[in-house]
Amino acid sequence: MSTPRQPPRGSGPRRPAPRPGERARAPRQRAPEPRRAPAGRPRPAAPRPQPRAIKLADPRRRLRFVTLSLALVLSVFAGRLVQLQMFDSDELAAGAVANKYVDIKLPAERGSITSADGVVLATTVDAYDITGDPSLYTPAVSHLPDAPEQAAALLAPILGRTKEQLAAALHTPRTKWAMLAPRQSPETKKQIADLRTALNKQIDSKACRAQRALLTKPVDQGGRQYLDAGCVNPLLGIIPTDTKRRSYPADGLAANLIGYVNVDGTGTGGLELQYEHELAGRAGKTTGASAGGRAVATGSGQQSPVPGTDLRLTIDQDIQWAAQRAITDQVANAGAEKGYVVVQDVKTGQVLAMATSPGFNPNDLANAKPPQLGNAALSDAYEPGSTAKLMTMAAVLDTGTASWDTHVTVPNTLQRSDRVFHDDVEHETWYLTLAGVLAKSSNIGTIEAAEHLGKTQPESNQVLGDYLHKFGIGQPTGVGFPGETRGILAKPEDWKGSQQFTIPFGQGLSVNALQATSVFSTIANGGVRVAPSLLAGTTGPDGRYVPSPAGAQTRVVKPETAKTLTEMLESVVTDEQGTGGKAQIPGYRVAGKTGTANRVDPKTGKYSGYTASFIGFAPAEAPRVTVSCVIQDPVNGHFGGQLCGPVFKQVMEFTLKTLQVAPSGSEAPNLPVDWKP
C-alpha cells in the first residue's frame, strides 16, 4: 500500500473521505489570498471589479402594451361620447331644461258671491303673508343677543299674536323662511313698513354708524360682538309676501249660508264648499328659471289663469239682515240653544233669507266654535210638531174625507194603541169644526180626522204617507247644500204602535227648516210645490250672466184645497181661540200655524226640552212670501206662538215693506172654529 500524500502546509483542514455509497464531492476552490506586501512597503490597490452588463428588455413590446392600453381607454371615451351625442342627446337636453326651468303656478282669482241685489258678500282681496328670515336673527348676524324677542315685541300688537309665538318662529334653526302671520291686510303691511322706516332713521345716527364700523363692543364667550339695541333694526328680516285672501265685507251676515275657506283658500263650508269648482277657476302657469334656489319667471310658455265664476244668490241683503237680527235677539231672550228663520218667495221657491243663531264671522274663524260653523236651518233634523198638522189637513180635505166645517168631537183624552193622548191643555170635551181643530191645534182632533183617510188604519197610514212624500218630507230639498239632512220619514207600512197616531200631529217624523217652510209655500202657491233654490245665477269669466233654471214644480193638492187651507190657517191667527195671535200684522191678512213639539236631544237620543215654531205666509188673499221661525230648547217659555209668533211678525212685516207688497184689501173670512151640540 502506498502512503497517502500529505496536503501542503497551509492548505486547510482535510476533507473527510466519502462514506461507502456516497458520491465524492468536488473540493471547493478557495479564493487565493492576496499577497501581503513586505513590511515597510505600501500595499498596491486592489483591482476594481468589472460591472456586470445589464440586458434590457425589448422596448418595442413595452410600447405596444402602452399603445394598446391608451387605445382601449380612448375607445371607451369615444363610445360614451357617441352614446351621449347620438343616442341620449334628446333625453339629456330635456333633463337639462328640466333642471334649469321650472313651472310656476299662477293662481286664479276666486269668484265672488253677491246677494240678489248685487251686494258683495264674499270676495278676494290683496293680502300679504308676513314672513321672517331666521338666519338674520342669530346673534352673529344681528349683533344682538335677543333679536327674535325684540322683533316679536314690536310685531305682536300689530299681528295679533303673542310675543312667544313670534319669537319661536324667528328662532327656527337652519331655515331662511318662517311664517309669522298669513294673509294680512294692506293696512297691516303699511304699519310694519312705517315702523321699519322709523327704526331705520333711528339707527342712522352718527354714533350707530361708528359702532357698526368699529364693532367696539366687548366680545362674548361665543366670539360674537354686540351692538347697542338702539343701533339695530329688528325688523330688517321681516318680509311681506304678496298673496290673496278671502274677505267677507258684511262679516257675519249670511255666514252660515255662504260658508268659509281654509288657509289655502279652498272652500270648506257652505256655498264656498258647494260651488268650489266654479268659484276656484283654473290656475295658469308660466316657465321660470331656477336661480339661487328660487324660480324667476321668464314669461315664456305662459298659460293665463282663468278666473272663477261669480255667484249671485237669491238672498236679499236687507231681508237677511232683518231675519238675522230678529232670531238672534229672540234666541238670547228665550235662553235657547239656537234658532233659525227662513224666508221664501212662494211663486219662485227662491230663498230670500236664511238666518241662524248663533252665527259666526268668517273673517275671524279663530274665535268661532265648531257648532256655529254649520247651517242649522238645513242640517238640523227636528220633529215639527203642530206645523205638520197642515199636511194632515191637506190630505183630509184633498181626498174629500172631510171639509173645513166638519164637526169633530174632541175628548180630553184619547186611547190609541199603547198610549193615552192629550192636548196641550186639560179641557172639557171640545166641539170643534175641522177648522177649529187646526186653529186650536188639537192633537186628538187631528188623530180623529186622520183615522178616516182609509177604511183601515194601515190604509189611512198609506194615504197620509203619500201626501207627506209629495210635500217633500224625507227627501232632499234640491238645493244641494253641504250637510243638509233629508229628515226622517219611515215607510207607512212601518208605522207601528203609537207612531201611526203621532205622525199626523208632527211627532215621529223629522224635517229641516227649509222643508217645513216649503210645505207652507206649497199651500200659498195654490197647491203647487216649487223646488227651493239659493242660486239666482252665475257670471262666468267672459262676463256673461246666466240665470239659474226655474225650480221644478209639482202639484200636491188641488187649488180649492189650498184655498180652503189658507182660510183655515187665517183662523189660527185671527180667531180669539187660535194659537197664533202674536203673528198678526196690521193691514195684512196672515195665514200661519204654531208648533210646539217635544225635542229629541241629539246627544242622548231622548226627548228633552221643546222645539217652538211658527210658519206662515202673507198676504193670505194673494200670498207672496212665507216666513218660518224655529227655536230649539228655549228656557224662558216654550210655546211656538209665544216665542216665534213675534219673530214671524217682525220679519214678515219688514219683508212686505221691502218688497213693496200692497196691504190687503179685504177682511179674513174668520171661519167658525166650534159648534154647539
Side-chain angles (χ1 to χ4, degrees):
M1 297 179 56
S2 61
T3 304
R5 295 177 62 180
Q6 296 293 327
R9 184 174 297 178
S11 62
R14 193 178 0 169
R15 189 175 195 77
R19 296 178 181 177
E22 184 179 5
R23 186 177 178 180
R25 296 181 181 178
R28 288 191 299 181
Q29 297 292 328
R30 295 184 64 182
E33 293 183 2
R35 297 178 64 179
R36 297 179 179 178
R41 295 175 61 182
R43 189 167 57 180
R48 293 183 178 180
Q50 295 294 326
R52 297 178 58 187
I54 300 176
K55 186 177 182 181
L56 298 177
D58 188 354
R60 289 175 297 178
R61 291 181 57 191
R62 186 178 307 146
L63 183 60
R64 283 195 299 269
F65 175 76
V66 172
T67 302
L68 183 61
S69 298
L70 290 175
L72 181 61
V73 172
L74 290 175
S75 65
V76 172
F77 287 148
R80 180 59 176 161
L81 184 62
V82 170
Q83 179 189 8
L84 294 177
Q85 292 293 331
M86 298 184 63
F87 299 105
D88 296 344
S89 58
D90 292 340
E91 181 180 352
L92 292 172
V97 171
N99 289 329
K100 183 177 180 181
Y101 297 101
V102 295
D103 287 337
I104 301 175
K105 182 180 178 181
L106 302 176
E109 183 171 345
R110 191 173 181 85
S112 62
I113 301 176
T114 67
S115 64
D117 44 351
V119 177
V120 176
L121 301 175
T123 188
T124 300
V125 298
D126 291 335
Y128 303 89
D129 289 337
I130 307 301
T131 65
D133 184 349
S135 67
L136 300 179
Y137 284 88
T138 62
V141 175
S142 67
H143 298 292
L144 287 175
D146 57 348
E149 286 72 20
Q150 291 195 33
L154 294 170
L155 293 173
I158 300 175
L159 300 180
R161 302 190 66 187
T162 66
K163 292 184 288 186
E164 291 75 17
Q165 290 173 324
L166 296 173
L170 293 175
H171 272 297
T172 306
R174 295 183 299 278
T175 182
K176 292 189 175 183
W177 182 92
M179 175 63 73
L180 303 181
R183 296 178 306 283
Q184 298 299 300
S185 67
E187 292 75 18
T188 299
K189 177 195 175 185
K190 186 176 184 303
Q191 279 185 278
I192 297 174
D194 291 346
L195 181 57
R196 180 161 50 191
T197 300
L199 291 173
N200 281 337
K201 292 180 180 178
Q202 175 183 317
I203 67 174
D204 198 33
S205 66
K206 183 176 181 180
C208 289
R209 288 198 301 269
Q211 277 199 37
R212 286 193 296 273
L214 300 177
L215 288 177
T216 57
K217 299 299 292 182
V219 179
D220 73 343
Q221 293 181 356
R224 293 179 288 262
Q225 292 180 311
Y226 294 146
L227 297 172
D228 289 339
C231 291
V232 177
N233 187 345
L235 300 185
L236 289 179
I238 304 303
I239 308 166
T241 304
D242 293 354
T243 185
K244 299 286 185 180
R245 71 177 176 89
R246 201 62 165 164
S247 175
Y248 302 89
D251 289 330
L253 186 70
N256 299 85
L257 182 62
I258 295 171
Y260 51 94
V261 298
N262 62 14
V263 295
D264 298 321
T266 303
T268 310
L271 296 174
E272 292 272 28
L273 171 60
Q274 180 178 351
Y275 292 100
E276 166 62 22
H277 178 73
E278 291 81 0
L279 289 166
R282 186 173 67 249
K285 68 176 182 179
T286 187
T287 302
S290 179
R294 295 185 178 183
V296 180
T298 62
S300 62
Q302 178 169 324
Q303 296 179 6
S304 299
V306 179
T309 298
D310 296 335
L311 307 182
R312 181 185 296 180
L313 306 184
T314 60
I315 300 298
D316 182 285
Q317 182 199 28
D318 294 333
I319 298 174
Q320 177 72 28
W321 174 84
Q324 204 157 314
R325 183 184 63 174
I327 191 62
T328 299
D329 290 346
Q330 191 67 317
V331 165
N333 293 336
E337 177 185 329
K338 55 187 168 182
Y340 16 91
V341 168
V342 177
V343 182
Q344 185 180 27
D345 187 309
V346 302
K347 299 297 183 183
T348 65
Q350 292 183 342
V351 177
L352 305 182
M354 183 176 286
T356 64
S357 179
F360 69 97
N361 185 350
N363 291 319
D364 187 21
L365 290 177
N367 291 320
K369 298 179 181 178
Q372 299 172 347
L373 298 178
N375 187 355
L378 289 170
S379 62
D380 274 8
Y382 67 93
E383 296 193 2
S386 295
T387 56
K389 292 173 181 173
L390 177 63
M391 293 182 285
T392 302
M393 294 302 172
V396 170
L397 293 175
D398 206 52
T399 57
T401 301
S403 62
W404 71 265
D405 57 353
T406 297
H407 292 182
V408 182
T409 301
V410 182
N412 184 46
T413 61
L414 183 68
Q415 176 76 46
R416 289 292 184 270
S417 186
D418 57 347
R419 181 173 172 183
V420 177
F421 291 94
H422 303 263
D423 286 319
D424 62 327
V425 294
E426 294 289 330
H427 60 80
E428 299 293 334
T429 300
W430 284 341
Y431 300 98
L432 305 175
T433 62
L434 192 64
V437 170
L438 189 63
K440 293 179 71 69
S441 197
S442 171
N443 293 342
I444 293 175
T446 304
I447 293 173
E448 292 176 321
E451 287 178 325
H452 294 85
L453 287 171
K455 294 181 179 180
T456 64
Q457 188 60 48
E459 288 183 11
S460 297
N461 295 345
Q462 187 63 54
V463 172
L464 180 57
D466 290 343
Y467 273 92
L468 296 176
H469 183 79
K470 287 194 291 183
F471 274 109
I473 306 304
Q475 306 166 70
T477 62
V479 297
F481 195 85
E484 177 191 357
T485 177
R486 62 190 303 159
I488 301 173
L489 178 64
K491 295 179 180 179
E493 56 267 27
D494 296 331
W495 298 359
K496 305 298 182 183
S498 61
Q499 184 186 27
Q500 56 193 330
F501 303 105
T502 63
I503 286 178
F505 62 80
Q507 302 267 191
L509 75 163
S510 65
V511 298
N512 66 45
L514 184 55
Q515 288 174 328
T517 306
S518 179
V519 170
F520 282 73
S521 292
T522 299
I523 300 304
N525 194 36
V528 176
R529 180 181 184 272
V530 182
S533 61
L534 292 168
L535 184 65
T538 60
T539 300
D542 58 357
R544 187 168 62 94
Y545 176 74
V546 179
S548 297
Q553 299 188 12
T554 306
R555 176 159 292 284
V556 179
V557 297
K558 296 186 284 290
E560 53 270 25
T561 300
K563 183 177 184 299
T564 301
L565 284 168
T566 298
E567 294 176 347
M568 292 170 65
L569 289 171
E570 284 190 84
S571 295
V572 175
V573 178
T574 61
D575 194 277
E576 61 181 9
Q577 298 187 60
T579 57
K582 290 184 178 295
Q584 294 182 33
I585 299 175
Y588 293 92
R589 288 170 56 181
V590 174
K593 183 70 187 78
T594 59
T596 304
N598 292 316
R599 176 177 179 269
V600 176
D601 188 333
K603 296 179 181 178
T604 64
K606 300 179 180 179
Y607 284 110
S608 175
Y610 295 91
T611 297
S613 61
F614 185 93
I615 309 176
F617 50 85
E621 77 282 5
R624 176 71 187 277
V625 177
T626 299
V627 173
S628 69
C629 164
V630 181
I631 294 179
Q632 297 287 1
D633 201 19
V635 175
N636 304 321
H638 66 275
F639 289 112
Q642 172 192 10
L643 295 178
C644 274
V647 175
F648 168 89
K649 176 182 178 180
Q650 181 179 342
V651 176
M652 177 63 83
E653 197 166 21
F654 183 91
T655 302
L656 293 174
K657 291 180 180 178
T658 300
L659 300 178
Q660 299 181 346
V661 178
S664 299
S666 59
E667 297 293 329
N670 295 321
L671 300 179
V673 299
D674 55 10
W675 56 278
K676 292 183 180 180

